[in-house]
Amino acid sequence: MRDSDQGDWREALYEELVAARVSQVAYVPDAGHSHVITRCHEDPAITPIVLTTEEEGIGVLAGADLAGARGVLLMQSSGVGNCLNTFSLVRNCGFPIVTIVTMRGEWGEFNPWQVPMGQATPATLEAGGLVVQRVDDPGDVRAVVKHALHMAFEGGTAMAVLLSQRLIGAKTF
Amino acid sequence: METQQNNGFERRELVAQILRDRSDDLLVVTGLGSPTYDVAAAGDDPRNFYLWGAMGSAATIGLGLALARPQARVLVITGDGEMLMALGALATIGVARPSNLAIAVLDNRAYGETGGQASHTAHGVDLVAMARAAGFKETAHCDATDGFDAPRRLLREAPGPVLAACAIRSGENPRVMPARDGHHLRARFREAIGVA
């Protein structure tokens, strides 16, 4: 993968948030999300909300929805388990939660401590009532994000998009 | 450890006083358990979003709502146990600093729903000091010796983010159960404020 392709899919992700009129982006930082986080901070139409732990983002997105606003939660796969009890807001209230998850614990992962939660991520999200879509190819990011946002905000389905470690590039030290 | 507070408010009376004469731009989020019943007892309103679970989410729901609805006053009414589960949210709110968000912690120093076990506040953990340190604009301990006006003014009018920890006398109240259907609660809230 060339650097320019990486830049392109990261910018495409941000552009789709703008196109879907997302106004709140809550996040726990991750290297894979750093471009979109920077772009959201530069965008006066988006309120970025830095969290101390991922489950705060589920509450924030639910609150935004109560006011008719659209929010997205950016996190790493290691944070997905933190959200589990708050997913009762998805099942019980139908909040159209959208999360975009950068994956660890797969595809050349050097750190075994990332593997348990990384491997449990799809099952955890599905247990919480979210529909899970995975992206491996940089050329697919725009379309998958676009259609996930559409399913959530036009259709009311809670959605998770997993950006795979193959897509992002395995972290090396 | 001290769970009895002789100068505590009677919780139903306090909540009724905080909420009396509410206008259409007061939006209320309740923490699960007694605060949900207290707010329901003060009079059901479609602009109340009652939590029956998702413990620790009352403050963050209030945050997302306050940021998305700057023309409204957002009041989170929760308990000490529920707030203690969201200490990180104090830091998150301290960064976002919505001026229209207020949090009332009904502090009975105990986990009332589960047998009255002492909470951390009974051991001296100070939620007001934590909120202040996180960057809340107005914070206060309130008790019955100062009357209802101080917490009411702080929670309804003071520029936020506000956190008022209100000492609550121990004691059982009849349960006043609002609707539990979350889809219904969400839909009627959005309809009431015109975003459905």
Side-chain angles (χ1 to χ4, degrees):
Chain A
M1 196 189 311
R2 289 176 298 121
D3 284 352
S4 60
D5 291 332
Q6 287 208 8
D8 287 345
W9 72 256
R10 290 180 162 95
E11 182 65 10
L13 199 164
Y14 164 72
E15 287 170 0
E16 291 306 321
L17 299 184
V18 172
R21 289 178 286 114
V22 169
S23 62
Q24 292 189 17
V25 174
Y27 65 92
V28 173
D30 181 57
H33 284 311
S34 62
H35 178 81
V36 68
I37 291 169
T38 300
R39 297 289 278 138
C40 289
H41 275 272
E42 292 167 351
D43 186 338
I46 292 177
T47 302
I49 301 146
V50 61
L51 310 169
T52 70
T53 179
E54 290 80 1
E55 67 268 32
E56 292 171 8
I58 304 299
V60 168
L61 267 48
D65 175 80
L66 285 176
R70 298 175 170 191
V72 166
L73 168 61
L74 308 177
M75 63 177 157
Q76 186 184 113
S77 52
S78 47
V80 169
N82 294 347
C83 299
L84 248 179
N85 188 45
T86 60
F87 287 153
S88 58
L89 292 163
V90 174
R91 284 206 186 272
N92 283 310
C93 308
F95 285 113
I97 300 297
V98 179
T99 183
I100 300 175
V101 180
T102 47
M103 292 302 297
R104 294 288 305 268
E106 58 180 35
W107 191 256
E109 175 66 61
F110 83 99
N111 182 351
W113 294 64
Q114 289 283 355
V115 175
M117 191 62 241
Q119 290 298 311
T121 286
T124 302
L125 290 163
E126 284 161 3
L130 287 81
V131 170
V132 179
Q133 309 220 300
R134 180 185 172 88
V135 196
D136 287 303
D137 185 325
D140 290 338
V141 170
R142 181 185 296 278
V144 173
V145 170
K146 179 193 191 72
H147 289 98
L149 293 170
H150 187 83
M151 276 184 77
F153 299 132
E154 306 301 334
T157 300
M159 299 295 297
V161 174
L162 310 185
L163 304 178
S164 78
Q165 201 156 357
R166 184 175 189 177
L167 166 74
I168 296 163
K171 193 169 182 174
T172 53
F173 280 87
Chain B
M1 180 184 77
E2 185 56 61
T3 55
Q4 281 300 323
Q5 301 178 97
N6 295 327
N7 55 353
F9 291 101
E10 199 288 310
R11 59 187 311 144
R12 291 278 161 89
E13 199 178 8
L14 172 66
V15 169
Q17 287 291 333
I18 292 169
L19 292 175
R20 84 179 145 74
D21 303 326
R22 66 187 283 182
S23 61
D24 286 353
D25 64 358
L26 180 68
L27 309 177
V28 178
V29 178
T30 70
L32 79 172
S34 294
T36 284
Y37 315 142
D38 296 335
V39 171
D44 188 33
D45 190 297
R47 295 167 188 80
N48 294 344
F49 189 74
Y50 304 107
L51 287 173
W52 285 87
M55 187 166 176
S57 295
T60 50
I61 292 174
L63 172 61
L65 181 55
L67 292 172
R69 193 81 172 173
Q71 68 272 40
R73 181 74 170 186
V74 175
L75 174 57
V76 173
I77 300 180
T78 190
D80 46 308
E82 210 269 350
M83 192 69 249
L84 285 160
M85 202 174 274
L87 292 179
L90 296 179
T92 296
I93 292 166
V95 173
R97 293 180 75 82
S99 62
N100 59 333
L101 175 64
I103 301 175
V105 179
L106 308 180
D107 184 8
N108 65 355
R109 305 185 181 182
Y111 292 95
E113 288 290 298
T114 56
Q117 299 88 347
S119 81
H120 303 60
T121 61
H123 295 270
V125 172
D126 187 344
L127 290 167
V128 169
M130 287 175 163
R132 189 182 307 130
F136 276 56
K137 198 168 173 71
E138 292 266 6
T139 57
H141 290 282
C142 299
D143 64 41
T145 56
D146 299 324
F148 298 114
D149 285 351
R152 181 180 156 85
R153 186 197 64 77
L154 272 175
L155 294 164
R156 292 284 295 269
E157 294 165 23
V162 171
L163 185 141
C166 303
I168 295 299
R169 286 203 298 269
S170 54
E172 284 288 308
N173 281 295
R175 291 194 175 184
V176 178
M177 313 266 265
R180 258 176 304 188
D181 179 343
H183 290 86
H184 167 66
L185 292 169
R186 170 178 175 255
R188 72 172 196 160
F189 188 103
R190 289 166 52 100
E191 187 179 352
I193 67 168
V195 300

